[in-house]
């Protein structure tokens, strides 16, 4: 627990300081028990926010004056039609003129309002505050707010104006269903051991032929630039750029244009990787190495064209820094072994390293260009095949602590902190996800540029974006290094900014946003998400009311609803209690296996009874019939989006991820299998009779 009964009371000044910086000093745990945050945790979390707690009185005074030291707030958020007041701090007795420079270069004057605020003594100087009111007719976009002081100084900050609400695409005037899958599991005979973007394009065509309007995939963010590769798609090195694992080498124009001898070498690398297509374990290391070797062969033949140069220029220094990090990671391995001069992403040493390895840096930039072209092609295929939305991407909650983002975005990422979750009924010691969080003020100081660049890239060729752990845009559980997962504190974020940027980018992309709002979520969060046009998430096995399955008519409309999720077994496996068997084998149960099985049976019996009461299930129904009936129940909900797991469509039983484990179970490493446990390729999926039955039930 975060505090024990005999712990000394926390200094009220420390609590006040925490509150002013958005740090919670208490919370209610999963059992409803009031828990106070310890002094050590508060000091560590405040330290990570850049607050010195050695002198609490001085820290409180400093916090009080912090905004007065800024001529303008670093970032100002508004919505179309809003007229917010903006404080401008200048030496007492002097003045300022304020204007907005819009994205298109247009200048708009901003009027001062008559609002007296008493001057303050700040660092030995008397500072006054003038108030300006932004016009209500500013367009959505990323603008510059400019203050010109009497002494000639010009101070700029970021002004972000967002739509009031995300308007859903016209296609969602009716219910749309789609396929949910781990893209790397979808292997064809042409795959290099891992499902790639060519396979994903084929999947969208097949699913569209069945009537699907989207395919929701796992996060496809980049992992390490060389083996060994992190298996979890939810622990990437960056969330802005994609993994070359998914690149279809033989689908590139560069492969088609290469000399015959180079194509032969590339083909041979692919043939060796293809030998693993039927293995019962996914070998990311082998696949990545083969693709990197093949890509380098093609790169040596490549003459950079204007399309590549233009694309790289638009990506800016974020792409270059990512590519430099890849080369350094290839050269030196873990960051602990890097030369000290490369520890910072800026500076002379890193610039010299970039120049020295210019060709290798360009290679990694070029890989991202190839991936971008193939993502565009996949989305084009999906829409041309008749899909209403096409591909929906997934945004992981964080990044690897020693990855590219943690290195290049230190100014916007908190140090000495990991995010996770407090103790709950499933993880009674809490969870530490080993991911550093965004720094709230650090993001504001740079106009949320890293965040908005990330979102924009993910939506560039997508019909939607799922936000894993969307509560993290409101608050995150910060765990100081060296403390247990249960010894953290909630830190709040400016959700007006975090959600507003999502709404702005999705509006421009014509996409939908889905927030994964499962678990313990403050009711106000769901209200805010709904008000901004962001869909929630419902899982049938988690939806209950008064001890009974929630009636389908009572599901939320603005929602993606599904029977299962990647943290549960496929539906057939759940019915057969594969999760209970696995948790018993791994020693993860908190009660006897008989008690666990009895509790799960009781829940399943209630679900089966509810299905039978609607005429969806007979008394002697087998597992497959139950899977069909559960999807028929799903089809009776008003939810805008319905997700059907590809694993359910092929009768898979195996758990793809067991939370709370790492190497104890091959999380994220298992390919698709059929009801008999045999490994499936895409060709097997196409020939399976089960999808037709499930989809017919969904539409019944």
């Amino acid at each position: 627990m975060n505090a024990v009964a005999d712990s000394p009371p926390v200094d009220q000044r420390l609590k006040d300081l925490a509150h002013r910086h958005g740090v919670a000093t208490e919370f209610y745990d999963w059992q409803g028990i009031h828990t106070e945050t310890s002094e050590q945790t508060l000091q560590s979390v405040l330290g990570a926010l850049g607050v010195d707690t050695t002198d609490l009185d001085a820290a409180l005074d400093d916090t009080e004056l912090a905004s007065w030291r800024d001529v303008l707030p670093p970032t100002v958020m508004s919505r179309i039609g809003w007229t917010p007041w903006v404080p401008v701090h200048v030496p007492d007795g002097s003045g300022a003129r304020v204007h907005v420079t819009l994205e298109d270069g247009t200048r708009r004057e901003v009027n001062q309002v008559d609002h007296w605020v008493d001057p303050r003594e700040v660092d030995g100087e008397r500072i006054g505050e003038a108030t300006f009111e932004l016009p209500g007719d500013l367009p959505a976009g990323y603008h510059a707010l400019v203050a010109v002081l009497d002494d000639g100084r010009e101070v700029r900050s970021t002004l972000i104006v967002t739509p009031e609400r995300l308007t859903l695409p016209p296609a969602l005037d009716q219910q749309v269903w789609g396929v949910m899958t781990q893209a790397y599991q979808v292997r064809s005979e042409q795959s290099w051991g891992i499902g790639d973007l060519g396979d994903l394009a084929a999947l969208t065509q097949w699913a569209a032929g069945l009537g699907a309007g989207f395919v929701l995939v796992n996060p496809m963010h980049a992992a390490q630039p060389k083996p060994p590769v992190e298996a979890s798609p939810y622990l990437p090195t960056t969330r802005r750029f994609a993994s070359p694992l998914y690149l279809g080498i033989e689908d590139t124009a560069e492969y088609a244009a290469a000399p015959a001898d180079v194509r032969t070498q590339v083909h041979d690398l692919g043939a060796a990787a293809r030998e693993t297509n039927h293995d019962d374990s996914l070998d990311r290391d082998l696949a990545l190495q083969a693709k990197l070797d093949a890509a380098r062969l093609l790169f040596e033949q490549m003459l950079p064209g204007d399309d590549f140069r233009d694309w790289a220029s638009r990506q800016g220094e974020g792409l270059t820094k990512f590519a430099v990090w890849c080369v350094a990671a290839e050269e030196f391995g873990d960051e602990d072994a890097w030369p000290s001069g490369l520890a910072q992403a800026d500076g002379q040493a890193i610039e010299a390293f970039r120049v020295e390895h210019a060709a290798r840096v360009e290679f990694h930039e070029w890989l991202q260009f190839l991936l971008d072209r193939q993502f565009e092609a996949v989305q084009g295929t999906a829409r041309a095949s008749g899909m209403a939305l096409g591909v929906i991407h997934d945004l992981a909650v964080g990044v690897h602590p020693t990855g590219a983002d943690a290195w290049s975005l230190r100014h916007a990422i908190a140090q000495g902190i990991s995010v996770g979750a407090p103790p709950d009924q499933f993880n009674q010691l809490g969870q530490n996800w080993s991911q550093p969080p965004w720094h709230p003020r650090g993001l504001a100081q740079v106009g949320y540029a890293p965040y908005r660049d990330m979102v924009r890239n993910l939506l560039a060729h997508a019909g939607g974006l799922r936000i894993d752990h969307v509560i993290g845009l409101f608050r995150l559980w910060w765990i100081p290094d060296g403390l247990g997962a249960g010894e953290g504190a909630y830190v709040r974020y400016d959700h007006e900014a975090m959600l507003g940027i999502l709404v702005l980018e999705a509006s421009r992309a014509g996409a939908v946003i889905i927030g994964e709002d499962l678990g313990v979520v403050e009711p106000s969060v769901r209200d805010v998400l709904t008000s901004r046009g962001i869909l929630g998430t419902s899982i049938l096995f988690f939806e209950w009311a008064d001890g009974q399955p929630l009636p389908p008519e009572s599901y939320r409309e603005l929602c993606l609803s599904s029977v299962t999720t990647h943290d549960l077994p496929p539906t057939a496996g759940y019915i057969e209690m594969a999760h209970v068997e696995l948790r018993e084998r791994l020693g993860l149960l908190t009660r006897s296996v008989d008690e666990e099985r009895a509790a799960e049976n009781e829940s399943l019996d209630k679900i089966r009874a509810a299905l039978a009461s609607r005429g969806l299930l007979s008394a002697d129904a087998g597992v497959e019939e139950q899977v069909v009936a559960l999807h028929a129940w799903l089809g009776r909900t008003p939810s805008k989006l319905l997700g059907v797991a590809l694993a359910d469509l092929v009768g898979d039983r195996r758990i793809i991820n067991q939370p709370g484990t790492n190497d104890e179970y091959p999380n994220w490493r298992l390919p698709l299998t059929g009801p008999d446990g045999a490994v499936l390729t895409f060709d097997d999926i196409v020939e399976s009779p089960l999808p037709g039955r499930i989809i017919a039930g969904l539409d019944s």
Side-chain angles (χ1 to χ4, degrees):
M1 299 299 291
N2 228 20
V4 294
D6 57 355
S7 296
V10 176
D11 192 314
Q12 185 59 46
R13 294 174 300 168
L14 183 61
K15 289 185 177 182
D16 291 344
L17 188 62
H19 291 154
R20 295 185 190 187
H21 288 277
V23 181
T25 61
E26 60 184 358
F27 69 99
Y28 287 87
D29 71 8
W30 62 281
Q31 296 174 310
I33 298 175
H34 178 259
T35 305
E36 291 198 357
T37 308
S38 72
E39 181 174 308
Q40 181 183 10
T41 294
L42 291 177
Q43 289 175 336
S44 297
V45 168
L46 285 168
L49 287 168
V51 181
D52 185 353
T53 60
T54 54
D55 184 334
L56 293 176
D57 290 327
L60 285 166
D61 290 342
D62 188 70
T63 299
E64 182 72 20
L65 296 176
S67 64
W68 284 77
R69 294 190 175 99
D70 294 328
V71 174
L72 289 170
T75 297
V76 176
M77 294 300 305
S78 186
R79 301 188 197 178
I80 293 174
W82 282 13
T83 56
W85 286 5
V86 179
V88 179
H89 296 114
V90 296
D92 188 29
S94 65
R97 289 169 288 115
V98 177
H99 67 269
V100 173
T101 301
L102 302 178
E103 279 183 325
D104 63 3
T106 304
R107 174 168 167 154
R108 295 287 305 278
E109 299 300 326
V110 179
N111 295 324
Q112 186 172 355
V113 297
D114 185 9
H115 177 67
W116 174 257
V117 178
D118 290 333
R120 301 287 297 270
E121 189 79 15
V122 182
D123 302 328
E125 183 180 10
R126 194 167 175 81
I127 299 295
E129 179 176 291
T131 304
F132 290 78
E133 183 178 84
L134 295 179
D137 60 349
L138 294 176
Y142 303 104
H143 314 304
L145 185 63
V146 184
V148 181
L149 279 59
D150 286 351
D151 61 9
R153 283 186 297 148
E154 183 177 283
V155 179
R156 303 170 69 88
S157 70
T158 302
L159 168 62
I160 304 176
V161 180
T162 74
E164 181 73 24
R165 177 183 173 87
L166 179 59
T167 301
L168 297 181
L172 293 191
D173 288 343
Q174 58 186 2
Q175 191 175 69
V176 174
W177 74 269
V179 175
M180 307 183 304
T181 187
Q182 304 289 314
Y184 54 81
Q185 286 191 304
V186 185
R187 300 184 296 185
S188 66
E189 296 297 338
Q190 289 72 45
S191 303
W192 289 30
I194 290 286
D196 61 29
L197 289 169
D199 298 319
L200 180 56
L203 179 67
T204 64
Q205 288 180 305
W206 171 76
L210 296 173
F214 65 88
V215 171
L216 170 59
V217 295
N218 59 279
M220 302 178 81
H221 313 314
Q224 291 75 11
K226 68 174 185 178
V229 182
E230 169 62 48
S232 173
Y234 291 94
L235 188 58
T237 188
T238 177
R239 294 184 290 174
R240 178 176 174 181
F241 299 107
S243 172
L245 264 175
Y246 297 106
L247 184 64
I249 295 290
E250 292 168 300
D251 294 332
T252 62
E254 287 74 7
Y255 173 75
D261 62 321
V262 173
R263 289 202 306 273
T264 297
Q265 294 178 69
V266 171
H267 177 79
D268 290 346
L269 286 166
R274 280 191 287 271
E275 292 180 3
T276 67
N277 280 340
H278 296 274
D279 288 359
D280 194 29
S281 179
L282 300 174
D283 193 337
R284 285 176 170 82
D285 293 348
L286 183 150
L288 179 62
Q289 191 61 62
K291 294 193 177 191
L292 290 175
D293 291 344
R296 287 191 176 96
L297 288 171
L298 298 177
F299 181 71
E300 290 172 1
Q301 310 296 318
M302 190 266 298
L303 293 175
D306 290 341
D307 51 351
F308 166 56
R309 297 296 190 199
D310 291 345
W311 180 85
S313 177
R314 290 194 301 273
Q315 292 294 318
E317 68 172 3
L319 174 65
T320 301
K321 286 184 176 181
F322 169 69
V324 169
W325 179 88
C326 288
V327 175
E330 288 175 335
E331 190 79 6
F332 305 112
D334 190 83
E335 276 191 40
D336 292 339
W338 289 22
S340 58
L342 303 184
Q344 301 296 327
D346 300 300
Q348 293 182 347
I350 202 69
E351 176 59 18
F353 181 85
R354 184 194 66 78
V355 172
E356 179 185 358
H357 299 283
R360 291 171 65 185
V361 170
E362 186 177 60
F363 170 70
H364 285 284
E365 293 176 332
W366 177 71
L367 285 178
Q368 292 302 315
F369 170 66
L370 296 184
L371 284 161
D372 183 78
R373 287 199 309 195
Q374 290 195 355
F375 277 117
E376 182 179 21
V378 171
Q379 179 65 358
T381 297
R383 296 303 300 271
S385 298
M387 282 194 162
L389 297 174
V391 178
I392 298 178
H393 285 285
D394 197 353
L395 174 65
V397 69
V399 295
H400 197 286
T402 61
D405 282 0
W407 173 75
S408 65
L409 302 176
R410 289 180 187 270
H411 56 288
I413 289 181
Q415 306 299 310
I417 292 289
S418 293
V419 297
D424 59 29
Q425 64 190 89
F426 299 107
N427 295 274
Q428 295 185 16
L429 296 177
Q431 301 176 61
N432 187 329
W433 301 332
S434 301
Q435 298 170 332
W438 289 119
H439 189 300
R441 182 165 174 80
L443 270 181
Q445 288 175 328
V446 295
Y448 291 85
Y451 174 69
R452 66 199 207 204
D453 288 344
M454 174 190 73
V455 173
R456 187 179 304 120
N457 265 26
L458 289 166
L459 286 172
H461 309 300
L465 181 63
R466 173 188 178 272
I467 311 297
D468 191 44
H469 193 66
V470 73
I471 187 67
L473 303 183
F474 295 77
R475 68 176 188 179
L476 278 172
W477 182 253
W478 283 30
I479 306 165
D481 289 353
L483 297 185
E487 299 176 285
Y490 281 114
V491 176
R492 290 202 172 272
Y493 288 81
D494 183 352
H495 67 262
E496 179 64 37
M498 305 296 276
L499 293 180
I501 290 168
L502 272 179
V503 170
L504 174 56
E505 292 295 341
S507 295
R508 290 180 164 182
V512 299
I513 299 294
I514 303 160
E516 187 265 294
D517 56 353
L518 304 175
V520 180
V521 177
E522 298 165 299
S524 61
V525 167
R526 291 196 173 100
D527 293 339
V528 172
L529 292 175
T530 299
S531 72
R532 301 308 301 268
I534 295 174
L535 279 68
T537 301
S538 287
I539 307 299
L540 188 153
F541 288 131
F542 295 163
E543 293 291 343
W544 294 81
D546 301 322
Q548 296 296 323
L550 184 69
E553 299 82 7
S554 298
Y555 277 57
R556 292 176 286 172
E557 180 182 10
L558 203 64
C559 191
L560 165 66
S561 293
S562 63
V563 177
T564 189
T565 180
H566 60 250
D567 286 334
L568 293 176
T571 303
Y574 193 91
I575 292 169
E576 294 175 345
M577 298 199 188
H579 54 306
V580 176
E581 178 185 338
L582 179 60
R583 291 173 189 171
E584 179 195 17
R585 177 155 53 88
L586 298 178
L588 298 177
L589 297 179
T590 57
R591 54 187 172 184
S592 74
V593 66
D594 290 338
E595 290 177 295
E596 190 76 15
R597 190 174 286 114
E600 291 288 355
N601 260 323
E602 181 181 358
S603 296
L604 286 170
D605 283 344
K606 289 181 178 180
I607 293 174
R608 283 187 280 257
L611 294 171
S613 71
R614 300 287 183 117
L616 300 175
L617 191 68
S618 62
D620 58 349
V623 171
E624 187 174 303
E625 287 75 15
Q626 293 177 53
V627 173
V628 171
L630 287 164
H631 285 89
W633 178 278
L634 195 69
R636 298 188 177 193
T637 71
S639 300
K640 287 289 188 183
L641 298 181
L642 302 180
V644 182
L646 181 61
D648 284 350
L649 291 176
V650 300
D652 203 349
R653 262 68 168 169
R654 299 195 299 182
I655 298 168
I656 188 63
N657 175 53
Q658 175 55 56
T661 65
N662 188 11
D663 294 330
E664 305 95 320
Y665 183 75
N667 294 324
W668 317 112
R669 299 176 179 92
L670 298 177
L672 283 170
T673 58
D676 59 356
V679 174
L680 300 177
T681 65
F682 180 69
D683 305 297
D684 301 317
I685 295 170
V686 171
E687 295 174 2
S688 173
L690 187 55
R693 292 194 60 202
I694 289 178
I695 294 161
L698 195 70
D699 294 334
S700 64

